[in-house]
Amino acid sequence: MPESSFVDYVKIYCRSGKGGRGSRHFRREKYIPKGGPDGGDGGRGGHIFIRANRNLWTLLHLRYDRHIMATAGEPGNAKRSTGADGEDRLIEVPPGTVVYDADTGEYLMDLTEDGEQRILLRGGKGGLGNTHFKTSTNQAPRYAQPGEPAQERMIILQLKMLADVGLVGLPNAGKSTLLSVLTAAKPKIANYPFTTLEPNLGMVAYRDNRSFVMADIPGIIEGASEGRGLGLRFLRHIERNALLLFMISCESDHIREDYELLLNELKQYNEGLGEKKRVLAVTKADLLDDELKEMLREELPDDLPVIFISAVTGEGMTTLKDLLWQELNRETKHEIAELTHRDMDLQSIAWDDEEQALDRYRQNLPADVEEDWDDDDIDIEWLDESVPDSEEEWK
């Protein structure tokens, strides 16, 4: 079944490498009686790192590589030789990726800057060789430490796109059309609801070689915060936006009520969205004359800037860019808004069902088609060893 190239969440299994065991070797050379212990230490197990890479756009590359496992450290050798360290593994993700624990929903980390690197799982330390345990009363220790065990974790990677301006509106409000006019993006445009099935980004060129990023997400309907329509799947992409551009068609009978509906859905999803700066754009203004515009202004909200625009005729486009740039640089200095992350509620999100539902919507497949991408039958052998606390336990 064809799949979208835009993947904004993925669930993967990660395991670091276990430490190599220490050596119990004794020096045995001709003419050197009682050479004594010379066992080396074990090598460190491989770490799991995660790094933001601006050249990546989605998490598509991880959809088909869901088992990330570092190698174990090599055991110690004779002549006090330390074993080789295990090979580290690096997970590269787009900037704006948030990491959660897949079992508990706990928030782990957030990577927003290009090149930002964090350690996800540490490899086990190598065990000490028998050289470390020789004493005046125990000159020939015949024991060494095992390496520390590996760490494993199922994680969820969730992409929240980085953009300056987020477009918010009901279906068929003209969001994709505006994005195609102001930027070089080519989103799908058609005269039916939910034409946009995945977020689109575009770079808006401004004066003096300045620019800002605009994000278009699928239309929001009443109950989106509870999962209706495309629901929670794409609302997270406007959490980082410094400015929200509400777009409502002039064909609406109740523009104020539509605006309040959209704002209420955002607040129910995340209260912090209600505190962001907002601009209201009344679209398809080419259908209105000056008299109708003045009549509509009396019914519009008065707690935010309002502008009439038409992507078809170009009316208000320059004024809109000026207004957006002014609002962006008023307080935040054109910086991506910071987020206060919450733990993920795993019970309210069925990852497989969401992915399948969206694919069925695209391909119009029957509802009984199911796919399971989780691989719970991972064959992993664990060495459950602990370091003894006393010399007697080693023996």
Side-chain angles (χ1 to χ4, degrees), residues 57-255:
W57 163 246
T58 74
L59 299 171
L60 177 64
H61 61 292
L62 293 174
R63 169 175 280 185
Y64 309 106
D65 187 16
R66 298 196 173 180
H67 295 165
I68 310 296
M69 293 178 283
T71 60
E74 296 293 331
N77 295 308
K79 299 182 180 180
R80 302 184 183 180
S81 300
T82 301
D85 292 341
E87 182 180 354
D88 298 332
R89 290 296 305 272
L90 177 64
I91 305 173
E92 291 195 311
V93 296
T97 300
V98 186
V99 185
Y100 297 92
D101 187 289
D103 296 322
T104 64
E106 177 189 0
Y107 162 75
L108 300 178
M109 63 184 70
D110 182 14
L111 298 98
T112 58
E113 300 293 334
D114 179 47
E116 181 180 359
Q117 181 168 301
R118 306 270 190 92
I119 186 166
L120 185 63
L121 295 176
R122 292 188 177 275
K125 293 182 179 180
L128 299 178
N130 61 353
T131 305
H132 294 271
F133 302 101
K134 64 180 181 179
T135 65
S136 60
T137 57
N138 183 17
Q139 299 181 5
R142 299 182 181 276
Y143 47 81
Q145 285 183 339
E148 288 186 353
Q151 299 179 9
E152 64 172 345
R153 195 170 218 168
M154 291 290 293
I155 63 170
I156 290 173
L157 300 177
Q158 187 181 76
L159 175 62
K160 297 183 179 181
M161 293 193 306
L162 301 177
D164 301 299
V165 180
L167 303 182
V168 180
L170 298 170
N172 274 14
K175 302 184 295 299
S176 297
T177 303
L178 177 66
L179 187 70
S180 67
V181 170
L182 294 182
T183 73
K186 302 298 180 186
K188 182 178 179 180
I189 302 174
N191 188 25
Y192 56 84
F194 294 110
T195 308
T196 302
L197 294 177
E198 57 193 36
N200 295 292
L201 284 182
M203 185 72 70
V204 180
Y206 193 60
R207 299 186 180 94
D208 301 327
N209 294 322
R210 293 175 293 183
S211 62
F212 57 90
V213 180
M214 180 175 286
D216 168 32
I217 69 168
I220 298 174
I221 62 175
E222 185 175 3
S225 59
E226 301 173 356
R228 293 191 59 193
L230 295 181
L232 301 172
R233 183 179 178 88
F234 296 120
L235 278 177
R236 61 176 173 267
H237 288 296
I238 60 175
E239 285 187 288
R240 296 188 191 274
N241 301 156
L243 175 66
L244 300 181
L245 176 59
F246 286 79
M247 300 181 62
I248 301 177
S249 172
C250 68
E251 299 172 323
S252 173
D253 296 330
H254 306 285
I255 295 180

Side-chain angles (χ1 to χ4, degrees), residues 262-307:
L262 292 170
L263 184 59
N264 181 58
E265 290 298 328
L266 296 184
K267 288 181 178 179
Q268 289 186 14
Y269 173 72
N270 186 340
E271 294 182 358
L273 293 177
E275 301 175 0
K276 292 183 179 292
K277 291 181 294 185
R278 305 185 292 273
V279 173
L280 174 61
V282 180
T283 64
K284 307 178 184 178
D286 55 295
L287 303 178
L288 304 174
D289 55 24
D290 294 338
E291 183 178 354
L292 287 174
K293 290 179 183 178
E294 292 302 321
M295 294 176 58
L296 284 177
R297 285 187 184 278
E298 299 178 358
E299 302 178 1
L300 297 177
D302 54 5
D303 59 342
L304 76 167
V306 179
I307 185 173

Side-chain angles (χ1 to χ4, degrees), residues 326-344:
Q326 178 182 354
E327 292 294 323
L328 279 173
N329 291 274
R330 175 169 296 179
E331 296 178 0
T332 61
K333 305 301 179 184
H334 200 186
E335 294 179 355
I336 299 297
E338 295 184 357
L339 290 179
T340 300
H341 293 283
R342 300 169 295 175
D343 293 343
M344 182 181 292

